[in-house]
Amino acid sequence: MGIEENWQSFVSMTRAKAESHGKVAQYWDRVHNVLNMTLIFLSAFTTLSTLLPLSNYVAAGLGAVTTLVSAINGSLNPSSKRQEQLEASKGFRTLMLRMIRVEN
């Protein structure tokens, strides 16, 4: 393998790493959106269950589930993981562009 082949291999690897970090960032964005939408709906249902003439156990159960989903969201912290992956993707794209610029 010559220098040119090695160089092309490095450029393609950095491109692949940038794309994979971008896909992982999209995954964490989706997780963030799903968890937050779930929290919004659970909170709304909890509020409705306290206003409607339902059993107190329904409101308490919905409140407990809402708290559990909120704790999961807080422990996973998908928004910060998304940001980390986006920064890594940006770093690899910058490296790839620098390598291409040096090549030309």
Side-chain angles (χ1 to χ4, degrees):
M1 223 177 176
I3 294 174
E4 180 68 26
E5 291 86 15
N6 282 340
W7 192 258
Q8 292 300 324
S9 174
F10 289 141
V11 170
S12 67
M13 280 191 294
T14 52
R15 180 180 297 122
K17 287 183 184 244
E19 289 173 0
S20 67
H21 280 287
K23 287 180 183 178
V24 173
Q26 288 175 350
Y27 168 78
W28 283 114
D29 187 45
R30 202 168 331 138
V31 169
H32 176 71
N33 290 338
V34 167
L35 284 175
N36 282 335
M37 291 302 290
T38 304
L39 280 172
I40 288 169
F41 287 123
L42 282 173
S43 297
F45 291 143
T46 303
T47 303
L48 282 175
S49 69
T50 58
L51 296 175
L52 296 175
L54 297 173
S55 172
N56 289 337
Y57 295 115
V58 173
L62 284 172
V65 171
T66 303
T67 304
L68 181 63
V69 172
S70 179
I72 291 170
N73 192 22
S75 66
L76 284 179
N77 204 359
S79 60
S80 69
K81 290 182 180 180
R82 173 189 168 270
Q83 190 63 33
E84 290 173 7
Q85 294 297 323
L86 283 176
E87 289 173 6
S89 176
K90 181 182 174 186
F92 277 112
R93 288 192 194 284
T94 303
L95 176 63
M96 181 185 65
L97 290 175
R98 286 180 185 166
M99 291 170 73
I100 291 172
R101 191 174 9 189
V102 167
E103 179 182 5
N104 294 332

XYZ file of all heavy atoms in Angstrom:
809
model
N 0.851 -1.179 0.000
C 0.000 0.000 0.000
C 0.887 1.230 0.000
O 1.745 1.388 0.854
C -0.886 -0.034 1.246
C -2.284 0.343 0.989
S -3.229 0.190 2.511
C -4.726 0.798 1.898
N 0.629 2.100 -0.942
C 1.429 3.298 -1.042
C 0.857 4.430 -0.211
O -0.160 4.293 0.485
N 1.509 5.566 -0.301
C 1.100 6.734 0.471
C -0.281 7.208 0.033
O -1.120 7.550 0.874
C 2.144 7.861 0.316
C 3.457 7.432 0.966
C 1.640 9.153 0.924
C 4.596 8.399 0.754
N -0.526 7.205 -1.268
C -1.822 7.662 -1.782
C -2.959 6.787 -1.273
O -4.015 7.300 -0.851
C -1.805 7.657 -3.320
C -3.096 8.117 -3.958
C -3.366 9.593 -3.736
O -2.413 10.369 -3.536
O -4.560 9.965 -3.754
N -2.769 5.463 -1.279
C -3.809 4.559 -0.799
C -4.043 4.738 0.695
O -5.186 4.711 1.167
C -3.453 3.101 -1.103
C -3.495 2.756 -2.572
C -2.178 3.085 -3.275
O -1.157 3.300 -2.586
O -2.184 3.156 -4.513
N -2.952 4.896 1.453
C -3.090 5.143 2.890
C -3.853 6.435 3.146
O -4.704 6.496 4.035
C -1.724 5.208 3.572
C -1.125 3.855 3.812
O -1.831 2.848 3.814
N 0.186 3.814 3.996
N -3.519 7.455 2.381
C -4.174 8.754 2.561
C -5.671 8.645 2.280
O -6.494 9.140 3.045
C -3.521 9.783 1.642
C -3.920 11.180 1.971
C -4.827 11.937 1.308
C -3.453 11.970 3.047
N -4.946 13.152 1.905
C -4.099 13.200 2.983
C -2.528 11.762 4.078
C -3.879 14.223 3.884
C -2.301 12.778 4.978
C -2.979 13.991 4.872
N -6.021 7.980 1.177
C -7.433 7.791 0.850
C -8.140 6.956 1.914
O -9.305 7.209 2.247
C -7.584 7.130 -0.528
C -7.167 8.002 -1.680
C -7.969 9.281 -1.753
O -9.157 9.302 -1.466
N -7.299 10.366 -2.107
N -7.432 5.991 2.480
C -7.997 5.164 3.542
C -8.281 6.011 4.789
O -9.338 5.872 5.415
C -7.033 4.025 3.884
O -7.493 3.308 4.997
N -7.346 6.885 5.145
C -7.549 7.759 6.312
C -8.720 8.712 6.082
O -9.524 8.941 6.979
C -6.286 8.550 6.632
C -5.173 7.727 7.194
C -3.865 7.974 6.822
C -5.422 6.713 8.098
C -2.831 7.223 7.343
C -4.390 5.954 8.618
C -3.088 6.206 8.240
N -8.821 9.270 4.897
C -9.915 10.186 4.589
C -11.254 9.452 4.654
O -12.223 9.946 5.242
C -9.714 10.847 3.206
C -10.950 11.599 2.765
C -8.513 11.781 3.230
N -11.310 8.251 4.086
C -12.575 7.505 4.117
C -12.933 7.064 5.534
O -14.112 7.036 5.901
C -12.518 6.309 3.170
O -11.584 5.366 3.626
N -11.925 6.737 6.350
C -12.213 6.362 7.739
C -12.753 7.544 8.532
O -13.694 7.385 9.317
C -10.953 5.808 8.417
C -10.670 4.372 8.069
S -9.383 3.627 9.082
C -7.938 4.545 8.598
N -12.189 8.731 8.345
C -12.700 9.892 9.071
C -14.105 10.246 8.603
O -14.941 10.644 9.409
C -11.770 11.110 8.928
O -11.504 11.348 7.550
C -10.477 10.919 9.679
N -14.375 10.079 7.317
C -15.730 10.315 6.810
C -16.707 9.324 7.450
O -17.793 9.703 7.888
C -15.776 10.192 5.293
C -17.170 10.426 4.720
C -17.220 10.298 3.205
N -16.377 11.306 2.569
C -15.363 11.046 1.751
N -15.071 9.792 1.450
N -14.663 12.001 1.207
N -16.316 8.070 7.520
C -17.182 7.045 8.111
C -17.419 7.315 9.596
O -18.540 7.153 10.094
C -16.562 5.665 7.921
N -16.388 7.737 10.301
C -16.543 8.036 11.727
C -17.454 9.244 11.932
O -18.269 9.257 12.854
C -15.191 8.264 12.386
C -14.412 6.988 12.568
C -13.117 7.243 13.297
C -12.328 5.960 13.369
N -12.131 5.494 14.707
N -17.319 10.244 11.086
C -18.192 11.420 11.194
C -19.639 11.026 10.949
O -20.543 11.467 11.677
C -17.747 12.491 10.196
N -19.881 10.182 9.959
C -21.253 9.745 9.673
C -21.815 8.893 10.799
O -22.985 9.022 11.160
C -21.287 8.976 8.351
C -21.063 9.862 7.147
C -20.919 9.066 5.858
O -20.984 7.811 5.890
O -20.722 9.708 4.816
N -20.982 8.023 11.374
C -21.487 7.177 12.458
C -21.803 8.004 13.701
O -22.803 7.749 14.380
C -20.493 6.066 12.788
O -19.304 6.591 13.343
N -20.984 9.000 14.014
C -21.289 9.878 15.150
C -22.556 10.680 14.882
O -23.344 10.937 15.797
C -20.115 10.817 15.444
C -19.018 10.170 16.214
N -19.125 9.870 17.550
C -17.783 9.773 15.845
C -18.002 9.307 17.968
N -17.168 9.229 16.943
N -22.772 11.069 13.639
C -24.000 11.776 13.283
C -25.229 10.894 13.472
O -26.268 11.348 13.961
N -25.121 9.613 13.119
C -26.245 8.692 13.297
C -26.538 8.465 14.779
O -27.700 8.382 15.180
C -25.948 7.359 12.612
C -26.026 7.438 11.110
C -25.723 6.106 10.471
C -25.731 6.227 8.955
N -25.393 4.968 8.301
N -25.505 8.357 15.581
C -25.712 8.179 17.021
C -26.336 9.439 17.617
O -27.206 9.354 18.492
C -24.382 7.812 17.724
C -24.543 7.795 19.225
C -23.877 6.470 17.233
N -25.931 10.608 17.127
C -26.535 11.860 17.598
C -28.017 11.896 17.246
O -28.845 12.334 18.059
C -25.811 13.061 16.993
N -28.391 11.409 16.063
C -29.801 11.344 15.686
C -30.569 10.394 16.594
O -31.714 10.662 16.969
C -29.949 10.896 14.233
C -29.535 11.931 13.235
C -29.591 11.407 11.809
O -29.775 10.208 11.577
N -29.421 12.298 10.847
N -29.934 9.279 16.974
C -30.571 8.333 17.884
C -30.868 8.990 19.224
O -31.971 8.878 19.745
C -29.679 7.100 18.072
C -30.132 6.226 19.210
C -31.218 5.370 19.062
C -29.492 6.267 20.442
C -31.648 4.576 20.101
C -29.919 5.481 21.491
C -30.994 4.634 21.316
O -31.426 3.859 22.367
N -29.878 9.692 19.793
C -30.080 10.324 21.098
C -31.086 11.471 21.001
O -31.812 11.743 21.951
C -28.757 10.798 21.687
C -27.972 9.656 22.255
C -26.787 9.175 21.800
C -28.338 8.834 23.362
N -26.403 8.102 22.552
C -27.325 7.875 23.529
C -29.425 8.801 24.237
C -27.368 6.908 24.527
C -29.461 7.841 25.237
C -28.452 6.908 25.367
N -31.151 12.115 19.854
C -32.165 13.151 19.663
C -33.557 12.532 19.666
O -34.495 13.074 20.262
C -31.908 13.893 18.350
C -32.829 15.082 18.184
O -33.012 15.844 19.150
O -33.370 15.252 17.076
N -33.703 11.393 19.025
C -34.979 10.686 19.006
C -35.369 10.234 20.416
O -36.526 10.368 20.826
C -34.883 9.486 18.072
C -36.194 8.990 17.562
C -36.015 7.999 16.420
N -34.787 8.307 15.692
C -33.914 7.413 15.264
N -34.122 6.164 15.410
N -32.813 7.774 14.642
N -34.404 9.701 21.173
C -34.671 9.285 22.552
C -35.116 10.483 23.384
O -36.080 10.407 24.154
C -33.420 8.615 23.178
C -33.584 8.423 24.680
C -33.133 7.293 22.500
N -34.432 11.593 23.215
C -34.771 12.826 23.945
C -36.195 13.267 23.616
O -36.977 13.591 24.520
C -33.760 13.919 23.577
C -34.040 15.252 24.164
N -33.896 15.521 25.499
C -34.472 16.398 23.602
C -34.226 16.777 25.728
N -34.579 17.325 24.585
N -36.546 13.268 22.343
C -37.883 13.686 21.927
C -38.967 12.751 22.452
O -40.005 13.208 22.937
C -37.974 13.785 20.407
C -37.179 14.945 19.861
O -36.893 15.897 20.566
N -36.794 14.844 18.605
N -38.726 11.450 22.380
C -39.721 10.481 22.847
C -39.935 10.613 24.353
O -41.079 10.630 24.836
C -39.301 9.042 22.466
C -40.133 8.008 23.212
C -39.414 8.839 20.971
N -38.846 10.716 25.108
C -38.983 10.830 26.564
C -39.689 12.125 26.956
O -40.552 12.120 27.842
C -37.613 10.742 27.241
C -37.004 9.344 27.316
C -35.595 9.414 27.890
C -37.864 8.421 28.155
N -39.350 13.216 26.299
C -39.989 14.486 26.648
C -41.459 14.516 26.249
O -42.292 15.042 27.007
C -39.237 15.661 26.026
C -37.986 15.982 26.801
O -37.892 15.696 27.989
N -37.015 16.564 26.136
N -41.809 13.949 25.102
C -43.217 13.889 24.717
C -44.000 12.987 25.669
O -45.135 13.290 26.043
C -43.368 13.400 23.279
C -42.869 14.384 22.244
S -43.673 15.985 22.332
C -45.296 15.583 21.777
N -43.379 11.897 26.087
C -44.017 11.011 27.058
C -44.274 11.739 28.366
O -45.351 11.623 28.958
C -43.142 9.767 27.304
O -42.902 9.116 26.055
C -43.800 8.795 28.262
N -43.290 12.518 28.806
C -43.464 13.291 30.040
C -44.575 14.323 29.909
O -45.356 14.525 30.848
C -42.154 13.990 30.418
C -41.125 13.125 31.119
C -39.807 13.879 31.272
C -41.647 12.678 32.459
N -44.658 14.958 28.767
C -45.710 15.962 28.562
C -47.089 15.312 28.642
O -47.982 15.812 29.338
C -45.506 16.680 27.206
C -44.294 17.605 27.280
C -46.755 17.463 26.819
C -43.856 18.160 25.948
N -47.261 14.179 27.950
C -48.559 13.521 27.967
C -48.893 12.953 29.343
O -50.038 13.054 29.801
C -48.630 12.426 26.899
C -48.726 12.968 25.507
C -47.790 12.629 24.549
C -49.752 13.826 25.150
C -47.877 13.126 23.263
C -49.854 14.334 23.863
C -48.911 13.982 22.922
N -47.904 12.357 30.000
C -48.172 11.822 31.339
C -48.532 12.932 32.316
O -49.421 12.757 33.155
C -46.959 11.036 31.841
C -46.784 9.635 31.278
C -45.464 9.041 31.737
C -47.941 8.737 31.695
N -47.854 14.057 32.212
C -48.178 15.186 33.089
C -49.583 15.696 32.824
O -50.328 16.018 33.764
C -47.177 16.315 32.898
O -45.892 15.902 33.259
N -49.960 15.760 31.564
C -51.313 16.211 31.223
C -52.360 15.233 31.744
O -53.386 15.651 32.316
C -51.446 16.365 29.719
N -52.107 13.937 31.583
C -53.057 12.944 32.086
C -53.129 12.953 33.604
O -54.203 12.744 34.182
C -52.696 11.547 31.583
C -52.917 11.363 30.107
C -52.039 10.603 29.358
C -54.006 11.937 29.467
C -52.245 10.429 28.001
C -54.214 11.770 28.106
C -53.326 11.007 27.378
N -52.008 13.200 34.260
C -52.016 13.293 35.723
C -52.862 14.472 36.172
O -53.666 14.353 37.102
C -50.576 13.424 36.263
O -49.800 12.315 35.811
C -50.554 13.475 37.775
N -52.703 15.600 35.496
C -53.503 16.780 35.842
C -54.984 16.523 35.592
O -55.825 16.866 36.430
C -53.026 17.992 35.011
O -51.639 18.197 35.257
C -53.797 19.241 35.380
N -55.296 15.911 34.461
C -56.695 15.594 34.168
C -57.289 14.615 35.183
O -58.441 14.750 35.580
C -56.828 15.013 32.766
C -56.789 16.002 31.613
C -56.806 15.262 30.291
C -57.951 16.961 31.709
N -56.498 13.652 35.593
C -57.020 12.661 36.538
C -57.290 13.267 37.910
O -58.146 12.774 38.640
C -56.064 11.479 36.659
O -54.875 11.873 37.305
N -56.580 14.341 38.259
C -56.884 14.999 39.537
C -58.117 15.876 39.417
O -58.821 16.081 40.408
C -55.695 15.856 40.023
O -55.383 16.826 39.037
C -54.478 14.993 40.308
N -58.393 16.387 38.230
C -59.563 17.258 38.042
C -60.853 16.475 37.831
O -61.932 16.950 38.191
C -59.329 18.191 36.855
C -58.173 19.188 37.002
C -57.986 19.957 35.707
C -58.417 20.127 38.156
N -60.748 15.310 37.221
C -61.936 14.497 36.954
C -62.297 13.660 38.187
O -61.438 13.372 39.019
C -61.673 13.586 35.756
C -61.442 14.292 34.426
C -61.072 13.269 33.360
C -62.678 15.073 34.010
N -63.549 13.282 38.283
C -63.959 12.479 39.452
C -63.524 11.015 39.322
O -64.337 10.111 39.145
C -65.479 12.617 39.451
C -65.839 12.866 38.031
C -64.707 13.641 37.455
N -62.227 10.799 39.378
C -61.662 9.450 39.328
C -61.085 9.110 40.697
O -60.950 9.962 41.569
C -60.561 9.359 38.265
C -60.976 9.596 36.817
C -59.752 9.632 35.918
C -61.923 8.514 36.351
N -60.703 7.897 40.843
C -60.088 7.460 42.099
C -58.755 8.181 42.308
O -58.050 8.524 41.353
C -59.862 5.951 42.044
O -59.110 5.531 43.157
N -58.427 8.410 43.541
C -57.138 9.048 43.852
C -55.964 8.159 43.465
O -54.859 8.649 43.246
C -57.062 9.394 45.334
C -57.973 10.535 45.700
O -58.344 11.334 44.844
N -58.347 10.613 46.965
N -56.206 6.870 43.377
C -55.144 5.938 43.012
C -54.707 6.131 41.561
O -53.549 5.907 41.227
C -55.586 4.498 43.241
C -55.824 4.179 44.698
C -57.093 3.850 45.159
C -54.775 4.224 45.606
C -57.313 3.573 46.488
C -54.980 3.949 46.936
C -56.248 3.621 47.384
O -56.455 3.349 48.704
N -55.633 6.541 40.722
C -55.292 6.786 39.316
C -54.318 7.957 39.223
O -53.285 7.880 38.549
C -56.558 7.052 38.477
C -56.191 7.470 37.059
C -57.456 5.834 38.467
N -54.626 9.051 39.913
C -53.743 10.218 39.891
C -52.389 9.888 40.514
O -51.332 10.293 40.004
C -54.386 11.384 40.628
N -52.407 9.132 41.603
C -51.142 8.757 42.260
C -50.313 7.840 41.364
O -49.085 7.995 41.268
C -51.436 8.077 43.584
N -50.986 6.909 40.695
C -50.267 6.006 39.788
C -49.660 6.737 38.607
O -48.504 6.502 38.235
N -50.443 7.630 38.013
C -49.908 8.420 36.892
C -48.764 9.327 37.342
O -47.773 9.499 36.622
C -51.019 9.245 36.246
C -51.976 8.481 35.348
C -53.140 9.369 34.935
C -51.251 7.965 34.125
N -48.897 9.893 38.532
C -47.813 10.725 39.063
C -46.545 9.926 39.299
O -45.434 10.396 39.035
N -46.708 8.689 39.774
C -45.545 7.825 40.006
C -44.871 7.455 38.692
O -43.632 7.470 38.589
C -45.977 6.570 40.755
N -45.670 7.142 37.686
C -45.105 6.790 36.370
C -44.401 8.006 35.761
O -43.312 7.887 35.187
C -46.199 6.242 35.429
C -45.686 6.092 34.018
C -46.725 4.921 35.954
N -45.001 9.176 35.920
C -44.376 10.408 35.418
C -43.039 10.647 36.103
O -42.049 11.004 35.457
C -45.314 11.612 35.642
O -46.556 11.356 35.014
C -44.709 12.886 35.086
N -42.998 10.444 37.403
C -41.746 10.618 38.148
C -40.701 9.613 37.701
O -39.515 9.960 37.564
C -42.008 10.471 39.658
O -43.017 11.405 40.036
C -40.758 10.718 40.458
N -41.119 8.386 37.448
C -40.190 7.356 36.993
C -39.606 7.705 35.622
O -38.390 7.600 35.406
C -40.893 6.002 36.943
C -40.055 4.811 36.519
C -38.936 4.573 37.519
C -40.924 3.589 36.389
N -40.452 8.140 34.696
C -39.962 8.526 33.361
C -39.040 9.737 33.460
O -38.019 9.820 32.775
C -41.147 8.788 32.406
C -40.673 9.379 31.089
C -41.922 7.510 32.154
N -39.365 10.664 34.354
C -38.511 11.829 34.550
C -37.148 11.424 35.107
O -36.112 11.969 34.704
C -39.190 12.816 35.491
O -38.373 13.926 35.718
N -37.132 10.463 36.014
C -35.855 9.987 36.560
C -35.025 9.282 35.492
O -33.795 9.452 35.426
C -36.118 9.050 37.732
N -35.691 8.500 34.648
C -34.980 7.834 33.549
C -34.393 8.873 32.598
O -33.236 8.766 32.172
C -35.925 6.870 32.808
C -36.263 5.683 33.695
C -35.317 6.404 31.493
C -37.365 4.799 33.162
N -35.187 9.889 32.286
C -34.711 10.966 31.413
C -33.522 11.685 32.038
O -32.550 12.007 31.351
C -35.851 11.946 31.128
C -35.529 12.920 30.027
O -34.667 12.665 29.205
N -36.238 14.026 30.007
N -33.587 11.922 33.332
C -32.485 12.603 34.001
C -31.226 11.767 34.070
O -30.114 12.282 33.961
N -31.380 10.459 34.257
C -30.186 9.614 34.357
C -29.566 9.354 32.981
O -28.344 9.280 32.861
C -30.523 8.297 35.045
O -31.403 7.539 34.255
N -30.403 9.205 31.955
C -29.855 9.007 30.609
C -29.249 10.286 30.054
O -28.231 10.240 29.368
C -30.945 8.513 29.657
C -31.360 7.063 29.755
C -32.456 6.764 28.753
C -30.188 6.144 29.534
N -29.893 11.402 30.314
C -29.464 12.710 29.826
C -29.171 12.678 28.321
O -28.044 12.929 27.885
C -28.251 13.195 30.622
C -28.122 14.684 30.595
O -28.915 15.372 29.963
N -27.128 15.197 31.281
N -30.187 12.348 27.526
C -29.955 12.177 26.097
C -29.549 13.453 25.364
O -28.848 13.387 24.356
C -31.298 11.649 25.581
C -32.295 12.043 26.584
C -31.575 12.123 27.891
N -29.951 14.612 25.867
C -29.594 15.843 25.153
C -28.094 16.106 25.217
O -27.496 16.552 24.237
C -30.373 17.032 25.707
O -30.084 17.218 27.074
N -27.459 15.813 26.353
C -26.009 16.032 26.434
C -25.252 14.982 25.621
O -24.214 15.286 25.014
C -25.538 16.033 27.883
O -25.636 14.742 28.443
N -25.770 13.756 25.595
C -25.127 12.722 24.764
C -25.237 13.081 23.289
O -24.298 12.866 22.523
C -25.756 11.361 25.038
C -25.404 10.834 26.408
C -25.984 9.474 26.643
C -25.611 8.990 28.026
N -26.139 7.671 28.320
N -26.375 13.631 22.897
C -26.550 14.080 21.515
C -25.527 15.161 21.179
O -24.886 15.132 20.133
C -27.966 14.615 21.318
C -28.198 15.245 19.969
C -29.563 15.947 19.928
N -29.689 16.772 18.774
C -29.334 18.062 18.712
N -28.844 18.660 19.764
N -29.475 18.740 17.615
N -25.366 16.112 22.093
C -24.423 17.207 21.867
C -22.992 16.691 21.761
O -22.222 17.148 20.911
C -24.545 18.241 22.996
C -23.792 19.504 22.737
C -24.307 20.259 21.529
O -25.491 20.241 21.226
N -23.409 20.901 20.812
N -22.624 15.732 22.610
C -21.275 15.150 22.540
C -21.041 14.476 21.193
O -19.957 14.613 20.602
C -21.092 14.131 23.663
C -21.001 14.718 25.047
C -21.002 13.655 26.124
O -20.942 12.445 25.785
O -21.079 14.017 27.302
N -22.040 13.726 20.718
C -21.895 13.038 19.437
C -21.823 14.022 18.277
O -21.071 13.804 17.322
C -23.042 12.052 19.231
C -23.055 10.903 20.209
C -21.833 10.023 20.086
O -21.326 9.779 18.997
N -21.355 9.530 21.212
N -22.586 15.102 18.356
C -22.511 16.122 17.307
C -21.144 16.786 17.274
O -20.590 17.050 16.202
C -23.599 17.176 17.510
C -25.007 16.775 17.092
C -25.992 17.894 17.441
C -25.069 16.465 15.616
N -20.583 17.046 18.452
C -19.244 17.648 18.501
C -18.192 16.695 17.952
O -17.270 17.118 17.249
C -18.918 18.063 19.930
C -19.714 19.253 20.410
C -19.500 19.562 21.884
O -18.645 18.919 22.522
O -20.204 20.450 22.391
N -18.330 15.399 18.267
C -17.383 14.420 17.731
C -17.511 14.336 16.212
O -16.496 14.281 15.494
C -17.628 13.051 18.365
N -18.740 14.342 15.712
C -18.955 14.306 14.262
C -18.351 15.536 13.596
O -17.690 15.438 12.558
C -20.449 14.222 13.963
O -20.681 14.268 12.581
N -18.568 16.683 14.221
C -18.003 17.926 13.670
C -16.479 17.870 13.670
O -15.837 18.296 12.706
C -18.489 19.116 14.501
C -17.979 20.433 14.011
C -18.454 21.564 14.900
C -17.812 22.875 14.490
N -18.149 23.953 15.405
N -15.894 17.323 14.727
C -14.437 17.192 14.790
C -13.884 16.310 13.689
O -12.870 16.637 13.056
N -14.548 15.176 13.437
C -14.094 14.290 12.371
C -14.288 14.924 11.001
O -13.466 14.749 10.107
C -14.801 12.938 12.443
C -14.176 11.998 13.431
C -14.858 11.634 14.573
C -12.916 11.482 13.215
C -14.293 10.773 15.492
C -12.328 10.622 14.122
C -13.028 10.266 15.269
N -15.364 15.665 10.814
C -15.567 16.345 9.522
C -14.498 17.424 9.307
O -13.984 17.585 8.201
C -16.958 16.954 9.450
C -18.033 15.923 9.309
C -19.370 16.516 8.946
N -20.444 15.555 9.131
C -20.711 14.548 8.320
N -19.980 14.370 7.249
N -21.709 13.719 8.569
N -14.172 18.140 10.361
C -13.123 19.153 10.264
C -11.784 18.508 9.932
O -11.030 19.006 9.082
C -13.027 19.935 11.589
O -14.297 20.502 11.882
C -11.986 21.032 11.513
N -11.485 17.383 10.594
C -10.244 16.660 10.313
C -10.210 16.182 8.869
O -9.191 16.310 8.180
C -10.108 15.475 11.272
C -8.908 14.563 11.057
C -7.603 15.330 11.267
C -8.993 13.375 11.991
N -11.350 15.655 8.390
C -11.413 15.178 7.013
C -11.170 16.324 6.030
O -10.411 16.184 5.071
C -12.773 14.540 6.737
C -12.911 13.991 5.332
S -14.556 13.378 4.991
C -15.533 14.871 5.088
N -11.791 17.476 6.280
C -11.596 18.610 5.383
C -10.157 19.108 5.405
O -9.606 19.498 4.375
C -12.559 19.740 5.750
C -14.028 19.455 5.438
C -14.911 20.588 5.965
C -14.234 19.284 3.948
N -9.537 19.088 6.581
C -8.118 19.485 6.661
C -7.261 18.521 5.881
O -6.296 18.936 5.205
C -7.675 19.533 8.111
C -8.201 20.699 8.868
C -7.722 20.691 10.292
N -8.328 21.770 11.056
C -8.305 21.843 12.364
N -7.701 20.892 13.080
N -8.860 22.847 12.991
N -7.582 17.229 5.983
C -6.779 16.233 5.255
C -6.953 16.421 3.747
O -5.975 16.314 2.993
C -7.200 14.823 5.683
C -6.820 14.483 7.099
S -7.571 12.961 7.687
C -6.641 11.761 6.790
N -8.161 16.691 3.298
C -8.394 16.905 1.883
C -7.692 18.171 1.408
O -7.112 18.206 0.324
C -9.920 16.952 1.591
C -10.512 15.567 1.784
C -10.196 17.455 0.185
C -12.013 15.511 1.715
N -7.723 19.206 2.246
C -7.070 20.465 1.869
C -5.564 20.274 1.754
O -4.927 20.809 0.843
C -7.384 21.532 2.903
C -6.993 22.905 2.488
C -7.434 23.956 3.447
N -7.960 23.380 4.686
C -8.568 24.065 5.617
N -8.721 25.350 5.502
N -9.010 23.493 6.712
N -4.966 19.478 2.636
C -3.532 19.228 2.573
C -3.208 18.393 1.340
O -2.172 18.579 0.691
C -3.057 18.494 3.863
C -1.668 17.952 3.707
C -3.129 19.445 5.047
N -4.138 17.495 0.997
C -3.912 16.626 -0.157
C -3.839 17.431 -1.451
O -3.037 17.125 -2.331
C -5.062 15.611 -0.241
C -4.965 14.655 -1.399
C -6.158 13.723 -1.433
O -7.084 13.882 -0.626
O -6.157 12.833 -2.299
N -4.681 18.447 -1.554
C -4.684 19.239 -2.784
C -3.613 20.243 -2.699
O -2.865 20.683 -3.306
C -6.040 19.940 -2.965
C -7.145 18.920 -3.195
O -6.878 17.852 -3.713
N -8.334 19.242 -2.788
